[in-house]
Amino acid sequence: MQVHDIQSQTGLSKQTIHYYEKEGLIHPERDNNGYRNYNEQDLQTLILIRFLRSLEISIDDIQLFLKG
C-alpha cells in the first residue's frame, strides 16, 4: 500500500505516518523507485497507535508497548 492508502484507512496525515516511521514504530519497505510500501502489519500498527494516542499515551510508552 502507498501512503495515500494508509492515510485514507487511518485518518492520519502523511507527516504523522512518516514521524511514526522515524520513531521506529512501523517499518515500511521501499520499492525500487524509493516509494514506501506499507503492509497489513504497518496498517494495523498505525490503527493501534492512533487508538493509544487518543488515550493520551506517550510515544515512548507506545514504543515500549510495541516492543512487548
Coordinates of all heavy atoms in Angstrom, one line a residue:
M1 N 0.8 -1.2 0.0 CA 0.0 0.0 0.0 C 0.9 1.2 0.0 O 1.9 1.3 0.6 CB -0.9 0.0 1.3 CG -2.0 -1.0 1.3 SD -2.9 -0.9 2.9 CE -2.0 -2.1 3.8
Q2 N 0.4 2.2 -0.7 CA 1.1 3.5 -0.7 C 0.6 4.4 0.5 O -0.4 4.1 1.1 CB 0.8 4.2 -2.0 CG 1.4 3.5 -3.2 CD 2.9 3.5 -3.3 OE1 3.5 4.4 -3.0 NE2 3.4 2.3 -3.7
V3 N 1.3 5.5 0.7 CA 1.0 6.3 1.9 C -0.4 6.9 1.8 O -1.1 7.0 2.8 CB 2.0 7.4 2.1 CG1 2.0 8.5 1.0 CG2 1.9 8.1 3.4
H4 N -0.9 7.2 0.6 CA -2.3 7.7 0.4 C -3.3 6.7 0.8 O -4.3 7.0 1.4 CB -2.5 8.3 -1.0 CG -2.5 7.3 -2.1 ND1 -1.3 7.0 -2.7 CD2 -3.4 6.6 -2.6 CE1 -1.5 6.0 -3.6 NE2 -2.8 5.8 -3.6
D5 N -3.0 5.4 0.6 CA -3.9 4.3 1.0 C -4.0 4.3 2.5 O -5.0 4.1 3.1 CB -3.5 3.0 0.5 CG -3.5 2.9 -1.0 OD1 -4.4 3.4 -1.7 OD2 -2.5 2.3 -1.6
I6 N -2.8 4.4 3.2 CA -2.7 4.3 4.6 C -3.4 5.5 5.2 O -4.1 5.4 6.2 CB -1.2 4.3 5.1 CG1 -0.6 3.0 4.6 CG2 -1.1 4.4 6.6 CD1 -1.1 1.7 5.3
Q7 N -3.2 6.7 4.6 CA -3.9 7.9 5.1 C -5.4 7.8 5.1 O -6.1 8.1 6.1 CB -3.5 9.1 4.2 CG -2.1 9.7 4.4 CD -1.9 10.8 3.5 OE1 -1.4 10.6 2.4 NE2 -2.2 12.0 3.9
S8 N -5.9 7.2 4.0 CA -7.4 7.1 3.9 C -7.9 6.1 4.9 O -9.1 6.2 5.4 CB -7.8 6.8 2.5 OG -7.4 5.5 2.1
Q9 N -7.2 5.1 5.2 CA -7.7 4.0 6.1 C -7.5 4.3 7.6 O -8.2 3.7 8.4 CB -7.0 2.7 5.7 CG -7.4 2.2 4.4 CD -6.8 0.8 4.1 OE1 -6.9 -0.1 4.9 NE2 -6.3 0.6 2.9
T10 N -6.5 5.2 7.9 CA -6.2 5.5 9.3 C -6.7 6.9 9.7 O -6.9 7.2 10.9 CB -4.7 5.4 9.6 OG1 -4.0 6.4 8.8 CG2 -4.2 4.0 9.3
G11 N -6.8 7.8 8.7 CA -7.1 9.2 9.1 C -5.9 10.0 9.5 O -6.0 11.1 10.0
L12 N -4.7 9.4 9.4 CA -3.5 10.1 9.9 C -2.9 10.8 8.7 O -3.1 10.5 7.5 CB -2.5 9.0 10.4 CG -2.9 8.2 11.6 CD1 -1.8 7.1 11.8 CD2 -3.0 9.1 12.8
S13 N -2.2 11.9 9.0 CA -1.6 12.7 7.9 C -0.3 12.0 7.5 O 0.3 11.2 8.2 CB -1.2 14.1 8.4 OG -0.2 14.0 9.4
K14 N 0.2 12.4 6.3 CA 1.4 11.8 5.8 C 2.6 12.1 6.7 O 3.4 11.3 7.0 CB 1.7 12.5 4.4 CG 2.9 12.0 3.7 CD 3.0 12.7 2.3 CE 4.2 12.4 1.6 NZ 4.3 13.0 0.3
Q15 N 2.6 13.3 7.2 CA 3.7 13.7 8.1 C 3.7 12.9 9.4 O 4.7 12.5 9.9 CB 3.6 15.2 8.5 CG 3.8 16.2 7.4 CD 2.6 16.3 6.4 OE1 1.5 15.9 6.7 NE2 2.9 16.9 5.3
T16 N 2.5 12.6 9.9 CA 2.4 11.8 11.1 C 2.9 10.3 10.9 O 3.6 9.8 11.7 CB 0.9 11.8 11.7 OG1 0.6 13.1 12.0 CG2 0.8 10.9 12.9
I17 N 2.5 9.8 9.7 CA 2.9 8.4 9.4 C 4.4 8.4 9.2 O 5.0 7.5 9.8 CB 2.2 8.0 8.1 CG1 0.7 7.9 8.3 CG2 2.8 6.7 7.5 CD1 -0.1 7.8 7.0
H18 N 5.0 9.4 8.6 CA 6.5 9.4 8.4 C 7.1 9.6 9.8 O 8.2 9.0 10.1 CB 6.9 10.5 7.5 CG 6.5 10.2 6.1 ND1 6.7 11.0 5.0 CD2 5.9 9.0 5.5 CE1 6.2 10.5 3.9 NE2 5.8 9.3 4.2
Y19 N 6.5 10.4 10.7 CA 7.1 10.5 12.0 C 7.1 9.2 12.8 O 8.1 8.9 13.4 CB 6.3 11.6 12.8 CG 6.6 11.7 14.3 CD1 7.8 12.3 14.7 CD2 5.8 11.1 15.3 CE1 8.2 12.4 16.0 CE2 6.2 11.2 16.6 CZ 7.4 11.8 17.0 OH 7.8 11.9 18.3
Y20 N 6.0 8.5 12.7 CA 6.0 7.2 13.4 C 7.0 6.2 12.8 O 7.6 5.4 13.5 CB 4.6 6.5 13.3 CG 3.5 7.3 14.1 CD1 2.2 7.3 13.8 CD2 3.9 8.0 15.3 CE1 1.2 7.9 14.5 CE2 2.9 8.7 16.0 CZ 1.6 8.6 15.6 OH 0.7 9.3 16.4
E21 N 7.3 6.3 11.5 CA 8.3 5.5 10.9 C 9.7 5.9 11.4 O 10.5 5.1 11.8 CB 8.3 5.7 9.4 CG 9.4 4.9 8.7 CD 9.5 5.2 7.2 OE1 8.7 5.9 6.6 OE2 10.5 4.6 6.6
K22 N 9.9 7.2 11.5 CA 11.2 7.8 12.0 C 11.4 7.3 13.5 O 12.6 7.0 13.9 CB 11.2 9.3 12.0 CG 12.4 10.0 12.5 CD 12.3 11.5 12.4 CE 13.2 12.1 13.4 NZ 12.7 13.3 13.9
E23 N 10.3 7.2 14.2 CA 10.4 6.8 15.6 C 10.6 5.3 15.8 O 10.7 4.8 16.9 CB 9.2 7.3 16.4 CG 9.2 8.8 16.6 CD 10.3 9.3 17.4 OE1 10.6 8.7 18.5 OE2 11.0 10.3 17.0
G24 N 10.5 4.6 14.7 CA 10.7 3.1 14.7 C 9.5 2.3 15.0 O 9.6 1.1 15.4
L25 N 8.3 2.9 14.9 CA 7.1 2.3 15.3 C 6.5 1.4 14.1 O 5.8 0.4 14.4 CB 6.0 3.3 15.7 CG 6.4 4.1 16.9 CD1 5.3 5.2 17.2 CD2 6.5 3.2 18.2
I26 N 6.8 1.8 12.9 CA 6.5 1.0 11.7 C 7.7 0.9 10.9 O 8.6 1.7 11.0 CB 5.3 1.6 11.0 CG1 5.6 3.0 10.5 CG2 4.0 1.6 11.8 CD1 4.6 3.6 9.5
H27 N 7.7 -0.1 10.0 CA 8.9 -0.4 9.2 C 8.5 -0.7 7.7 O 8.6 -1.9 7.3 CB 9.7 -1.5 9.8 CG 10.0 -1.4 11.2 ND1 11.0 -0.5 11.6 CD2 9.4 -1.9 12.3 CE1 11.0 -0.5 13.0 NE2 10.0 -1.3 13.4
P28 N 8.0 0.3 7.0 CA 7.6 0.0 5.6 C 8.9 -0.3 4.7 O 10.0 0.2 5.0 CB 7.0 1.3 5.1 CG 7.6 2.4 6.0 CD 7.8 1.7 7.3
E29 N 8.6 -1.2 3.8 CA 9.7 -1.5 2.8 C 9.7 -0.4 1.7 O 8.8 0.4 1.6 CB 9.5 -2.8 2.2 CG 9.6 -3.9 3.3 CD 9.6 -5.3 2.7 OE1 9.9 -5.4 1.4 OE2 9.4 -6.3 3.4
R30 N 10.8 -0.3 1.0 CA 10.9 0.6 -0.1 C 10.9 -0.1 -1.4 O 11.6 -1.1 -1.6 CB 12.3 1.4 0.0 CG 12.4 2.3 1.2 CD 11.7 3.6 1.0 NE 11.9 4.5 2.2 CZ 11.9 5.8 2.1 NH1 11.7 6.4 0.9 NH2 12.0 6.5 3.2
D31 N 10.1 0.4 -2.3 CA 10.1 -0.1 -3.7 C 11.4 0.3 -4.4 O 12.1 1.2 -3.9 CB 8.9 0.4 -4.5 CG 7.6 -0.1 -3.9 OD1 7.6 -1.2 -3.3 OD2 6.5 0.5 -4.2
N32 N 11.6 -0.2 -5.6 CA 12.8 0.1 -6.4 C 12.8 1.6 -6.7 O 13.9 2.2 -6.8 CB 12.8 -0.7 -7.7 CG 13.1 -2.1 -7.4 OD1 13.7 -2.5 -6.4 ND2 12.7 -3.0 -8.3
N33 N 11.7 2.2 -6.8 CA 11.6 3.7 -7.1 C 11.7 4.5 -5.9 O 11.7 5.8 -5.9 CB 10.3 4.0 -7.8 CG 9.0 3.6 -7.1 OD1 9.1 3.3 -5.9 ND2 7.9 3.7 -7.7
G34 N 11.9 3.9 -4.7 CA 12.1 4.7 -3.5 C 10.8 4.9 -2.7 O 10.9 5.5 -1.6
Y35 N 9.7 4.6 -3.2 CA 8.4 4.8 -2.5 C 8.3 3.8 -1.4 O 8.7 2.7 -1.5 CB 7.2 4.7 -3.4 CG 7.1 5.8 -4.5 CD1 6.4 5.5 -5.7 CD2 7.6 7.0 -4.3 CE1 6.3 6.5 -6.7 CE2 7.4 8.0 -5.3 CZ 6.8 7.7 -6.4 OH 6.6 8.7 -7.4
R36 N 7.7 4.3 -0.3 CA 7.4 3.4 0.8 C 6.2 2.5 0.4 O 5.3 2.9 -0.2 CB 7.0 4.2 2.1 CG 8.1 5.0 2.6 CD 7.6 6.0 3.7 NE 8.7 6.7 4.3 CZ 9.1 7.9 3.9 NH1 8.6 8.4 2.8 NH2 10.1 8.5 4.6
N37 N 6.4 1.2 0.8 CA 5.3 0.3 0.6 C 4.9 -0.3 1.9 O 5.7 -1.1 2.6 CB 5.9 -0.8 -0.3 CG 4.8 -1.8 -0.8 OD1 3.6 -1.5 -0.6 ND2 5.2 -2.9 -1.4
Y38 N 3.7 0.0 2.4 CA 3.2 -0.4 3.7 C 2.5 -1.7 3.5 O 1.7 -1.9 2.6 CB 2.3 0.7 4.2 CG 2.9 2.0 4.4 CD1 3.0 3.0 3.4 CD2 3.6 2.3 5.6 CE1 3.6 4.2 3.6 CE2 4.2 3.5 5.8 CZ 4.2 4.5 4.8 OH 4.8 5.7 5.0
N39 N 2.6 -2.6 4.5 CA 1.9 -3.9 4.5 C 0.8 -3.8 5.5 O 0.6 -2.8 6.2 CB 2.9 -5.0 4.8 CG 3.6 -4.9 6.1 OD1 3.1 -4.4 7.1 ND2 4.8 -5.5 6.2
E40 N 0.1 -4.9 5.7 CA -1.1 -5.0 6.6 C -0.6 -4.8 8.0 O -1.4 -4.2 8.8 CB -1.8 -6.4 6.4 CG -3.0 -6.5 7.2 CD -4.1 -5.5 6.8 OE1 -4.2 -5.1 5.6 OE2 -5.0 -5.2 7.7
Q41 N 0.5 -5.3 8.4 CA 1.0 -5.2 9.8 C 1.3 -3.7 10.1 O 0.9 -3.2 11.2 CB 2.3 -5.9 10.0 CG 2.9 -5.8 11.4 CD 1.9 -6.4 12.4 OE1 1.4 -7.4 12.3 NE2 1.8 -5.7 13.5
D42 N 1.8 -2.9 9.1 CA 2.0 -1.5 9.3 C 0.7 -0.8 9.5 O 0.5 0.0 10.4 CB 2.7 -0.9 8.1 CG 4.1 -1.3 7.9 OD1 4.8 -1.6 8.9 OD2 4.5 -1.5 6.8
L43 N -0.3 -1.2 8.7 CA -1.7 -0.6 8.8 C -2.2 -0.9 10.2 O -2.7 0.0 10.9 CB -2.6 -1.1 7.8 CG -4.0 -0.7 7.8 CD1 -4.2 0.8 7.7 CD2 -4.9 -1.4 6.8
Q44 N -2.2 -2.1 10.7 CA -2.7 -2.5 12.0 C -2.0 -1.8 13.1 O -2.6 -1.4 14.1 CB -2.7 -4.0 12.2 CG -3.6 -4.8 11.2 CD -5.1 -4.3 11.2 OE1 -5.6 -4.1 12.3 NE2 -5.7 -4.1 10.1
T45 N -0.7 -1.6 13.0 CA 0.1 -0.9 14.0 C -0.3 0.5 14.1 O -0.5 1.1 15.1 CB 1.6 -1.1 13.7 OG1 2.0 -2.5 13.7 CG2 2.4 -0.3 14.7
L46 N -0.5 1.2 12.9 CA -0.9 2.6 12.9 C -2.3 2.8 13.5 O -2.6 3.7 14.2 CB -0.9 3.1 11.5 CG 0.5 3.3 10.9 CD1 0.5 3.6 9.4 CD2 1.2 4.5 11.7
I47 N -3.2 1.8 13.2 CA -4.5 1.9 13.8 C -4.4 1.8 15.3 O -5.1 2.5 16.1 CB -5.5 0.8 13.2 CG1 -5.8 1.1 11.8 CG2 -6.7 0.7 14.1 CD1 -6.5 0.0 11.0
L48 N -3.6 0.9 15.8 CA -3.4 0.7 17.3 C -2.7 2.0 17.8 O -3.2 2.5 18.9 CB -2.5 -0.5 17.5 CG -2.1 -0.7 19.0 CD1 -3.3 -0.9 19.9 CD2 -1.1 -1.9 19.1
I49 N -1.7 2.5 17.2 CA -1.1 3.8 17.7 C -2.1 4.9 17.7 O -2.1 5.6 18.7 CB 0.1 4.2 16.7 CG1 1.2 3.1 16.8 CG2 0.6 5.6 17.1 CD1 2.3 3.3 15.8
R50 N -2.9 5.0 16.7 CA -3.9 6.1 16.7 C -4.9 5.9 18.0 O -5.2 6.9 18.6 CB -4.7 6.1 15.5 CG -5.7 7.2 15.4 CD -6.4 7.3 14.0 NE -7.3 8.4 14.1 CZ -8.4 8.5 13.4 NH1 -8.7 7.5 12.6 NH2 -9.2 9.5 13.5
F51 N -5.3 4.7 18.2 CA -6.1 4.5 19.4 C -5.4 4.8 20.7 O -5.9 5.5 21.6 CB -6.6 3.0 19.4 CG -7.3 2.6 20.7 CD1 -8.5 3.1 21.0 CD2 -6.6 1.8 21.6 CE1 -9.2 2.7 22.1 CE2 -7.3 1.5 22.8 CZ -8.5 1.9 23.1
L52 N -4.1 4.4 20.8 CA -3.4 4.6 22.1 C -3.1 6.1 22.2 O -3.2 6.6 23.4 CB -2.1 3.8 22.0 CG -2.2 2.3 22.1 CD1 -0.9 1.7 21.9 CD2 -2.8 1.9 23.4
R53 N -2.9 6.8 21.2 CA -2.7 8.3 21.2 C -4.0 9.0 21.7 O -3.9 10.0 22.4 CB -2.2 8.8 19.9 CG -0.7 8.4 19.5 CD 0.3 8.9 20.5 NE 0.4 10.4 20.4 CZ 0.7 11.2 21.4 NH1 0.9 10.7 22.6 NH2 0.7 12.5 21.2
S54 N -5.1 8.4 21.2 CA -6.4 9.0 21.7 C -6.6 8.9 23.2 O -7.4 9.6 23.7 CB -7.6 8.4 20.9 OG -7.8 7.1 21.4
L55 N -5.9 7.9 23.8 CA -6.0 7.7 25.2 C -4.9 8.6 25.9 O -4.6 8.4 27.1 CB -5.8 6.3 25.6 CG -6.9 5.3 25.0 CD1 -6.5 3.9 25.4 CD2 -8.2 5.7 25.6
E56 N -4.2 9.4 25.1 CA -3.1 10.3 25.6 C -1.9 9.5 26.1 O -1.2 9.9 27.0 CB -3.6 11.3 26.6 CG -4.7 12.2 26.0 CD -5.2 13.3 26.9 OE1 -4.5 13.5 28.0 OE2 -6.2 13.9 26.6
I57 N -1.6 8.3 25.5 CA -0.4 7.6 25.9 C 0.7 8.1 25.0 O 0.6 8.4 23.8 CB -0.7 6.1 25.6 CG1 -1.8 5.6 26.5 CG2 0.6 5.3 25.8 CD1 -2.2 4.2 26.3
S58 N 1.8 8.3 25.7 CA 3.0 8.9 25.0 C 3.6 8.0 24.0 O 3.5 6.8 24.0 CB 4.1 9.3 26.1 OG 4.7 8.1 26.6
I59 N 4.4 8.6 23.1 CA 5.1 7.8 22.0 C 6.1 6.9 22.7 O 6.2 5.7 22.3 CB 5.8 8.8 21.1 CG1 4.8 9.6 20.3 CG2 6.7 8.0 20.1 CD1 3.8 8.8 19.4
D60 N 6.8 7.4 23.7 CA 7.7 6.5 24.4 C 7.1 5.3 25.0 O 7.6 4.2 24.9 CB 8.4 7.3 25.6 CG 9.4 8.3 25.0 OD1 9.9 8.2 23.8 OD2 9.7 9.3 25.7
D61 N 5.9 5.4 25.6 CA 5.2 4.3 26.2 C 4.6 3.4 25.1 O 4.6 2.2 25.3 CB 4.0 4.8 27.1 CG 4.5 5.4 28.4 OD1 5.7 5.1 28.8 OD2 3.7 6.1 29.1
I62 N 4.2 4.0 24.0 CA 3.8 3.1 22.8 C 4.9 2.3 22.3 O 4.8 1.1 22.0 CB 3.2 4.0 21.7 CG1 1.8 4.6 22.2 CG2 2.9 3.2 20.5 CD1 1.2 5.6 21.3
Q63 N 6.1 2.9 22.2 CA 7.3 2.1 21.8 C 7.5 1.0 22.7 O 7.8 -0.2 22.2 CB 8.5 3.0 21.8 CG 8.5 4.0 20.6 CD 9.7 5.0 20.7 OE1 10.1 5.4 21.7 NE2 10.2 5.3 19.5
L64 N 7.5 1.2 24.0 CA 7.7 0.1 25.0 C 6.6 -1.0 24.8 O 6.9 -2.2 24.8 CB 7.7 0.6 26.4 CG 8.8 1.5 26.8 CD1 8.6 2.1 28.2 CD2 10.1 0.7 26.8
F65 N 5.3 -0.5 24.6 CA 4.2 -1.5 24.5 C 4.4 -2.3 23.2 O 4.2 -3.5 23.3 CB 2.9 -0.7 24.3 CG 1.7 -1.5 24.1 CD1 1.1 -2.2 25.1 CD2 1.2 -1.6 22.8 CE1 0.0 -3.0 24.9 CE2 0.0 -2.4 22.6 CZ -0.5 -3.1 23.6
L66 N 4.8 -1.7 22.1 CA 5.0 -2.5 20.9 C 6.2 -3.4 20.9 O 6.2 -4.5 20.2 CB 5.2 -1.5 19.7 CG 3.9 -0.7 19.3 CD1 4.3 0.3 18.2 CD2 2.8 -1.6 18.9
K67 N 7.2 -3.1 21.7 CA 8.3 -4.0 21.9 C 8.0 -5.2 22.8 O 8.8 -6.1 22.9 CB 9.5 -3.2 22.4 CG 10.1 -2.3 21.4 CD 11.3 -1.5 21.9 CE 11.8 -0.5 20.9 NZ 12.9 0.3 21.4
G68 N 6.9 -5.1 23.5 CA 6.5 -6.2 24.4 C 6.9 -5.9 25.8 O 6.9 -6.7 26.7

